Amino acid sequence: MLQKFCRTFLQMVVFLTCFQPQVLWGHDSQERFIQHRLHVKVSPQNIDLHLELSFFGDRAAQERLQMDLDSDCRISLREERAYLRELASSLHDKIRMTLVGRPLPALLFYYPHLDLVASRDVKPLPLKIEVSFFARTPSWFSPETPLTVESGILTDQPAIHTVTVRGTDGIEAKADSVQNRVTEGDRSAFIFTIRCLNRL
């Protein structure tokens, strides 16, 4: 308990030390949201999901601070690798898909990639994380069987979600109108539906 308190206290000291006050002023209110951009490609073989997570302003600064394990206001390659390992382990079962009541396992396709946008400083500078999943396309995915996709990634943080869906190789697909495009960090999953318009 004492160790956790000391770590939290040290993080606050580093946060105040690393950042110039004027850098934190005047941020757009939307910068507290993580931008979730999900690109889905549906083929007769696979359903590929590529997620881009973009962080800005103070929210990016907090994420950078979390990476800075030795509190020197710089993110080393070792710290980056440690952060990505922890992130990858946390993604298990975070993308859930259901087709006519049957769960469709989504597996991590690519190891998460971190883009610090040319700066390893612990400052309110943007950063991007990309991660990809895939599932096998069931033979019964058809216009009569919509696919429900549920993302539980970073549900404890306010987020703005966008989704694009495209079909290839004889499949036409689209996403239904997204209802919960903005989530407020109440741990609610982001849920949307993909419909197969045509399958040759």
Side-chain angles (χ1 to χ4, degrees):
M1 186 71 178
L2 180 60
Q3 185 179 13
K4 183 178 180 181
F5 172 79
C6 291
R7 168 69 178 164
T8 303
F9 178 76
L10 184 59
Q11 285 180 335
M12 288 303 299
V13 171
V14 172
F15 189 91
L16 295 173
T17 302
C18 293
F19 304 152
Q20 297 296 324
Q22 64 268 23
V23 177
L24 297 176
W25 295 343
H27 285 168
D28 189 291
S29 61
Q30 286 197 352
E31 289 187 352
R32 73 185 183 92
F33 293 91
I34 302 171
Q35 305 286 332
H36 292 235
R37 295 182 179 89
L38 184 60
H39 306 279
V40 184
K41 183 177 73 172
V42 184
S43 75
Q45 292 77 38
N46 296 318
I47 300 170
D48 297 320
L49 305 99
H50 182 74
L51 178 63
E52 298 174 1
L53 301 167
S54 297
F55 300 73
F56 303 95
D58 295 349
R59 186 61 194 83
Q62 293 166 15
E63 204 68 16
R64 287 172 180 266
L65 185 63
Q66 183 179 330
M67 299 177 200
D68 184 21
L69 300 177
D70 60 8
S71 303
D72 67 347
C73 298
R74 291 278 296 174
I75 301 164
S76 67
L77 286 173
R78 180 185 62 82
E79 289 170 330
E80 178 182 335
R81 287 192 292 266
Y83 173 83
L84 290 176
R85 279 196 304 272
E86 184 175 348
L87 176 64
S89 66
S90 73
L91 292 174
H92 176 67
D93 204 32
K94 285 295 192 294
I95 295 287
R96 295 174 290 276
M97 294 190 284
T98 308
L99 188 62
V100 291
R102 305 185 200 184
L104 195 62
L107 305 175
L108 191 63
F109 190 28
Y110 290 122
Y111 200 71
H113 172 73
L114 173 65
D115 182 0
L116 291 168
V117 195
S119 176
R120 293 186 170 273
D121 293 341
V122 179
K123 291 181 178 179
L125 300 171
L127 65 94
K128 182 192 292 185
I129 298 170
E130 297 182 52
V131 60
S132 295
F133 303 83
F134 83 99
R136 298 299 184 192
T137 306
S139 58
W140 60 87
F141 184 42
S142 70
E144 290 75 37
T145 56
L147 173 67
T148 300
V149 181
E150 183 176 344
S151 174
I153 296 174
L154 294 178
T155 55
D156 60 335
Q157 301 291 335
I160 298 174
H161 304 265
T162 58
V163 176
T164 58
V165 176
R166 68 184 180 95
T168 64
D169 302 326
I171 288 185
E172 294 182 58
K174 72 164 189 173
D176 279 357
S177 179
V178 176
Q179 300 300 317
N180 59 335
R181 189 174 298 278
V182 177
T183 52
E184 289 288 347
D186 57 1
R187 298 191 180 274
S188 297
F190 170 61
I191 302 172
F192 65 97
T193 301
I194 298 176
R195 295 190 182 273
C196 178
L197 304 179
N198 185 39
R199 181 168 186 163
L200 300 179

